[in-house]
Amino acid sequence: MTDFPCCKLEIFIPESHLSVLQQALWETDAGHIGKYDCCLSYSPVTGCWRPLEGSHPYLGTLGQLRTEPELKVEVACPTGRVEAVLAAVKRVHPYEEPVINVIPLYRTGL
């Protein structure tokens, strides 16, 4: 992953937690692109999960399938900052096992 200077994080989160996530991302300088900061995109999605034995779900009941509206937040991040950004996201994310995809980017911009 160190061959790529930048990556994209995809973070799935309840809409109720968008503002605290944005603040955590901006405090770690995720979403800084050229002469702009606080850059991110989000779109509505539907999440689906079933809590298993030993889990402590934010929403849902053990053994029962659950679907809920969520947001998929996409933000660029320098590869060297990924661990700090992930730690910040996990501090504010309500889910026990948040879905956070880190995708190396071959190229950004034009």
Side-chain angles (χ1 to χ4, degrees), residues 13-79:
I13 194 162
E15 186 173 2
S16 60
H17 287 70
L18 178 61
S19 62
V20 295
L21 175 64
Q22 287 174 310
Q23 190 62 40
L25 292 170
W26 298 335
E27 287 173 2
T28 57
D29 206 29
H32 192 136
I33 301 172
K35 295 181 181 181
Y36 295 84
D37 68 358
C38 302
C39 302
L40 61 76
S41 298
Y42 58 90
S43 54
V45 297
T46 301
C48 178
W49 64 91
R50 181 173 53 201
L52 301 175
E53 188 67 37
S55 66
H56 303 284
Y58 173 72
L59 294 171
T61 304
L62 292 180
Q64 294 183 9
L65 191 61
R66 178 79 181 234
T67 59
E68 286 288 329
E70 297 179 306
L71 294 177
K72 178 170 91 168
V73 177
E74 300 178 74
V75 64
C77 172
T79 302

Side-chain angles (χ1 to χ4, degrees), residues 84-96:
V85 173
L86 288 174
V89 170
K90 289 177 182 179
R91 274 195 302 277
V92 300
H93 205 294
Y95 294 171
E96 182 177 22

